[in-house]
Each structure stands twice: as structure tokens, then as C-alpha cells.
Amino acid sequence: MRDEGVERWPVKVDRIAKRRGIKIQYSPLDEELSGMVFYKDNVAVIGVNSKHHVRRQRFTIAHELGHLQLHDDVLRKGMHVDKVITMLNRDSKSAAGTVNIEIEANQFAAEFLMPRKFVMQYMDENDLDYGTVADEQAIEDMANAFNVSSTAMTYRVAKIL
Ligand SMILES: [Zn+2]
């Protein structure tokens, strides 16, 4: 499902969402709000902060797609709102000791925007090797190609390699 209709980077996250019947609404929100996801009349709606950088918007959409795929039961109970802080807080665990749904959604988003096979293919085509994660210019070029932030790409490459 993750790679449906996707042959090459950058992954067209908004088009894939729309093809799945999900509505995307771009609107200016408070700086601290990244986005939200909810059901309206049984249609999934993703709200995105239009004031944020496009790469952040893409990550937000992918993060909310993760919630839709993984946490539908939670979303059926009410709107899920993401603040910048909850999305960056990669290591937090809930009080019950279960894996935080934000970590799962971030993981989903990283895999969605930077699928392993695309990352490997890009590295093959550009003759990159294991030193890439420490090469700022290479990471930046890769981030540009995938239309994600350099930070997101650094994490992803480190994880894959
Ligand atoms: Zn979230």
C-alpha cells in the first residue's frame, strides 16, 4: 500500500492521499500546530498548517496518513491534533509504557517519504556509500531530491545504513 503508484522520488504525498479519498485542507494555523486529522461525515480529513515550510507540510501529511493507517480506532473517537513538540518528541513513551502513537506515525512518515528502496536506488545512482550520513552536502542533495528536511534525511539514512 505504501508504494502504490509511486515509481520515483519525491513521493507525491498529497496526490496519494487524495487518491485514497482523503481530503487535505491547507490553512494558516498557529505556529506550534503542525496539523490534524479527523473524520467528517465518514470522510478522513487532514489539516495542514499552510504557514509551515512545504517540506514540513509534506512530513505532516505523511504523519497523519500514518495515524489513519495505524490508529483508526483513536481517530474514530475524535479529532487528533499534532503540535510541533509532539511530533519532534521521538523518544517519549506513554504512561502505560506502550509505544507512543506519535513515534509510530513519525516512523510511518519517514518510511513513506523515504522508502528504503528509493534511498538505496538513489545512493546506487549517485555512487554513495556508507560515509554518506556524515557528508552534509550529500545529505542536503538527497533531502532536496526527496523534498524532505535534511534532518529527516539524516535520521533515515542512518537508520537504513
Ligand atoms: Zn500525531
Side-chain angles (χ1 to χ4, degrees):
M1 173 162 196
R2 184 172 298 153
D3 294 340
E4 78 192 359
V6 183
E7 269 116 46
R8 201 165 169 89
W9 56 88
V11 172
K12 314 274 187 308
V13 64
D14 50 352
R15 214 162 73 193
I16 294 166
K18 283 175 196 162
R19 205 182 298 148
R20 290 182 189 175
I22 298 161
K23 263 193 194 172
I24 302 183
Q25 291 178 347
Y26 297 87
S27 38
L29 307 170
D30 288 349
E31 174 61 27
E32 60 167 28
L33 293 177
S34 297
M36 59 200 70
V37 56
F38 56 93
Y39 281 101
K40 186 166 191 278
D41 302 328
N42 228 28
V43 174
V45 182
I46 291 175
V48 187
N49 192 345
S50 59
K51 293 200 285 193
H52 282 176
H53 192 284
V54 66
R55 293 184 180 182
R56 208 146 135 196
Q57 293 181 24
R58 284 166 51 77
F59 194 88
T60 298
I61 295 169
H63 175 101
E64 307 304 357
L65 282 175
H67 283 316
L68 282 167
Q69 180 135 334
L70 305 169
H71 312 123
D72 198 64
D73 51 330
V74 177
L75 304 184
R76 294 282 178 185
K77 289 179 200 149
M79 178 186 286
H80 177 80
V81 178
D82 280 302
K83 295 188 175 185
V84 173
I85 189 76
T86 59
M87 292 179 66
L88 294 178
N89 196 1
R90 293 162 177 272
D91 302 319
S92 67
K93 303 248 174 160
S94 79
T98 53
V99 177
N100 191 303
I101 65 170
E102 301 311 330
I103 296 172
E104 290 182 344
N106 281 343
Q107 185 66 41
F108 179 96
E111 290 169 6
F112 191 91
L113 294 171
M114 298 162 279
R116 174 182 294 269
K117 70 170 184 187
F118 284 2
V119 171
M120 299 307 284
Q121 194 182 330
Y122 178 97
M123 292 185 73
D124 272 359
E125 289 177 10
N126 291 276
D127 240 347
L128 298 173
D129 60 17
Y130 294 95
T132 301
V133 72
D135 182 340
E136 271 179 45
Q137 188 57 54
I139 290 286
E140 202 180 311
D141 292 345
M142 240 174 136
N144 289 339
F146 283 76
N147 205 3
V148 298
S149 72
S150 298
T151 309
M153 185 54 85
T154 303
Y155 277 112
R156 188 66 180 136
V157 171
K159 177 141 197 180
I160 288 175
L161 294 182

